[in-house]
Amino acid sequence: MKHLNVIKSLLALSIIGILAACSSENAVVRNINVSDVITSDCKTSLSKEDTRPEYYNDIYSKKTTLKMLMGNDNTIGAQFLDVLDNCQIGRFHVDVSCHDNTIVIILYPEQDMATDCVCEYDVDFKIKDLLPGNYQIEVYHTNSTKKTNESDRIYQGSVTLESNKSITLTMDR
């Protein structure tokens, strides 16, 4: 009978341990969200057919940047500058997730269109409920399906987010 009580006690402790592990995991995996996504109007319109080659090459060689400023309320004001995409995208959307100190940002258009025209856009957004700290970050610029693969990744690196400290990341393309 004592042996059965010991087994029940060990089982109960094991269940409590599992529950405690699950609740601490929730503290590590934060529910962050994105709000206030605003896409600028087309800043510069280009067509390989209609644009002077040197001007076209200058715009295409310009790298997109991502600026981020964390406020005191764990909200980051962020902005993609000089994003090149089709002239008929409508607007951009941004999804952000964070798991195991890796932030994944996906920038994608509302719609895909096949035209010979490319525009430069700025995209402003806010990331809420992200704590200060050191993170790995991956940024993807995808089509409207949001499916990510290595060829869509435009940045991968480390960042340190601190209150009232701005950072600027230069995208790979």
Side-chain angles (χ1 to χ4, degrees):
M1 194 52 115
K2 284 186 180 184
H3 185 63
L4 188 57
N5 284 337
V6 169
I7 291 174
K8 285 181 183 178
S9 296
L10 287 174
L11 182 60
L13 286 173
S14 296
I15 291 172
I16 290 171
I18 290 170
L19 291 175
C22 289
S23 65
S24 66
E25 182 179 322
N26 288 338
V28 173
V29 178
R30 291 174 289 284
N31 288 327
I32 61 174
N33 60 59
V34 174
S35 67
D36 304 333
V37 179
I38 300 170
T39 304
S40 73
D41 291 334
C42 178
K43 298 188 321 180
T44 302
S45 171
L46 300 170
S47 170
K48 198 167 194 165
E49 305 290 321
D50 299 331
T51 307
R52 296 179 323 271
E54 65 278 358
Y55 180 68
Y56 184 85
N57 292 335
D58 284 347
I59 297 297
Y60 253 90
S61 66
K62 197 184 325 182
K63 304 260 183 175
T64 299
T65 57
L66 173 60
K67 293 186 177 193
M68 301 168 67
L69 174 64
M70 176 169 268
N72 291 327
D73 60 351
N74 297 335
T75 297
I76 295 174
Q79 182 180 42
F80 281 105
L81 297 169
D82 302 326
V83 177
L84 283 180
D85 210 315
N86 196 291
C87 288
Q88 300 296 320
I89 62 157
R91 61 185 169 138
F92 279 102
H93 298 281
V94 179
D95 279 354
V96 179
S97 62
C98 182
H99 183 68
D100 294 333
N101 281 355
T102 299
I103 300 169
V104 176
I105 300 174
I106 303 172
L107 175 67
Y108 62 99
E110 184 172 69
Q111 58 190 358
D112 297 315
M113 298 291 260
T115 68
D116 69 345
C117 177
V118 175
C119 280
E120 245 183 345
Y121 300 95
D122 293 338
V123 182
D124 296 1
F125 60 102
K126 291 182 181 174
I127 304 170
K128 295 183 178 181
D129 300 324
L130 188 60
L131 300 175
N134 297 318
Y135 295 92
Q136 292 297 313
I137 186 168
E138 296 179 10
V139 181
Y140 295 88
H141 182 177
T142 69
N143 60 23
S144 63
T145 64
K146 293 190 327 183
K147 291 183 180 175
T148 60
N149 60 53
E150 196 166 322
S151 67
D152 296 324
R153 187 172 51 220
I154 58 175
Y155 185 85
Q156 183 175 19
S158 300
V159 294
T160 300
L161 299 175
E162 299 176 45
S163 294
N164 300 316
K165 183 178 176 190
S166 178
I167 60 172
T168 301
L169 306 174
T170 302
M171 304 296 106
D172 295 333
R173 62 174 176 95

